[in-house]
Amino acid sequence: MTAGPPGDGGVRIGLSAVVIGLRDARAAVLTAPGDSPEAALPFGPFDPVRDRTFERALRDFVTAQTGFRPGFVEQLYTFGDAGRASPRATPGPSGAREVSVGYLALTVDAVDPPGAEARWAPVLDFFPWEDHRRGRPALLAPLIERLERWAGTDDRRRLRVQTLFATTPDARWSESRVLERYELLYEAGLVAEAARDRDQAPSTVAPGRAMASDHRRILATGLGRLRSKLRYRPVLFDLTPSTFTLSQLQAAAEAVAGIALHKQNFRRGVERTGLVAPTGGFSTGTGGRPAALFRATGVDPADGQAPGLPLPIQR
């Protein structure tokens, strides 16, 4: 799709999909094969002649690239900043500005699609500084030290480092601010994508897997959106099987939020929401005494009154 005055390179619209599921008690994202050795999100062009809607086009190319059929999807954001690497090339006029519309999809079927080259990759492999399930990760200290050297005496920069990475006693780590932390690392030149976009030789960068194009930024947006929604919508049930133990539900919440939760407070909070009900059955695969199985009560996630799940942090 192109737009603009004659002689202008125009605009091409692409669609990117952040598909998240749970594998081995870890949040995982579906990646698709591409021209780059780096992991990439499923991505495809929007053809205004062929495609009736963005969502229909997204569903078609995700299935074609990965063999996976998305269920519920929601639009995330439109990405098209100048100076950032555009999404992988799509047919169109030379010099066209690339704009990518990102979507978030959730699934309980995070299995490798048969006959496809798509793979599920642990989300926190791309953002290891976001994994606080076992306490504050050791890699944060040297990372913050580099950020503080970059900030120097700039009060605005220093405040952003303190706020986003909770470097002072009164600052609280906010698990939903994934994109803002990634953007700060990008601005400071501490992620591989920043060096690539600036045509610079890679220097010492933050740990974590890089992604093709601007896809790690889009994934950060999707993860941040999902973490925020945990608190005010029952979206976790879009990632869990039809029956589950409360321990499994807690592990799923921790895998997405990247934080350790207080077991008893979580259980009490979940039961108060009315979002789960016992099935009368028990799980015998827990390795200990049988655990009661629960199911979601079927509250419509689109219902404005439907609550999210409590996330009482283990301190």
Side-chain angles (χ1 to χ4, degrees):
M1 180 176 182
T2 62
D8 188 286
V11 174
R12 289 181 292 183
I13 294 180
L15 306 171
S16 302
V18 177
V19 183
I20 292 180
L22 295 174
R23 283 173 65 107
D24 302 322
R26 294 191 293 178
V29 61
L30 187 64
T31 62
D35 300 328
S36 169
E38 299 166 323
L41 299 172
F43 177 87
F46 174 74
D47 184 336
V49 175
R50 180 193 64 204
D51 300 321
R52 293 179 56 193
T53 67
F54 283 179
E55 186 176 321
R56 179 66 61 85
L58 178 95
R59 292 179 182 278
D60 288 347
F61 78 70
V62 168
T63 301
Q65 290 179 17
T66 68
F68 176 82
R69 295 186 179 277
F72 170 78
V73 299
E74 67 172 75
Q75 192 174 125
L76 280 173
Y77 194 72
T78 299
F79 303 84
D81 293 357
R84 307 286 292 241
S86 65
R88 71 178 81 160
T90 57
S94 176
R97 177 81 170 271
E98 191 86 49
V99 173
S100 178
V101 182
Y103 282 80
L104 173 66
L106 307 178
T107 181
V108 297
D109 298 317
V111 296
D112 293 324
E117 297 181 45
R119 294 290 182 269
W120 291 92
V123 172
L124 295 180
D125 282 4
F126 300 99
F127 312 105
W129 54 87
E130 296 289 339
D131 190 356
H132 291 232
R133 289 174 295 174
R134 295 175 178 82
R136 197 168 174 86
L139 60 85
L140 264 182
L143 185 59
I144 290 170
E145 183 179 342
R146 278 181 274 167
L147 279 169
E148 290 177 338
R149 285 202 301 268
W150 166 78
T153 58
D154 187 314
D155 290 341
R156 177 176 169 274
R157 287 182 174 182
R158 294 186 67 84
L159 180 61
R160 289 171 66 199
V161 174
Q162 291 170 5
T163 302
L164 293 174
F165 286 88
T167 61
T168 57
D170 59 334
R172 186 185 71 84
W173 178 268
S174 175
E175 67 276 2
S176 64
R177 302 181 76 172
V178 184
L179 177 62
E180 292 172 82
R181 282 188 284 271
Y182 175 75
E183 288 290 295
L184 184 62
L185 291 168
Y186 181 97
E187 186 179 336
L190 295 178
V191 292
E193 292 89 339
R196 180 199 63 202
D197 293 350
R198 298 165 188 170
D199 293 322
Q200 298 173 347
S203 57
T204 303
V205 297
R209 293 179 61 185
M211 296 191 79
S213 183
D214 218 6
H215 291 192
R216 189 151 54 144
R217 184 189 188 201
I218 299 172
L219 176 56
T221 306
L223 179 59
R225 171 77 63 84
L226 178 57
R227 285 180 167 185
S228 295
K229 288 172 75 72
L230 285 179
R231 293 183 180 274
Y232 63 88
R233 290 288 185 273
V235 293
L236 193 62
F237 300 119
D238 291 326
L239 297 168
T240 51
S242 57
T243 62
F244 44 81
T245 67
L246 291 184
S247 291
Q248 290 169 336
L249 189 65
Q250 178 177 338
E254 292 175 334
V256 173
I259 54 178
L261 301 177
H262 189 283
K263 181 177 179 179
Q264 295 304 324
N265 289 345
F266 176 79
R267 292 184 175 217
R268 283 194 291 266
V270 168
E271 291 170 350
R272 280 198 298 267
T273 65
L275 292 173
V276 302
T279 66
F282 291 85
S283 170
T284 57
T286 59
R289 58 186 297 182
L293 285 170
F294 290 77
R295 60 172 177 81
T297 55
V299 176
D300 184 356
D303 181 356
Q305 303 302 312
L309 291 172
L311 298 179
I313 299 175
Q314 177 73 59
R315 300 188 186 280

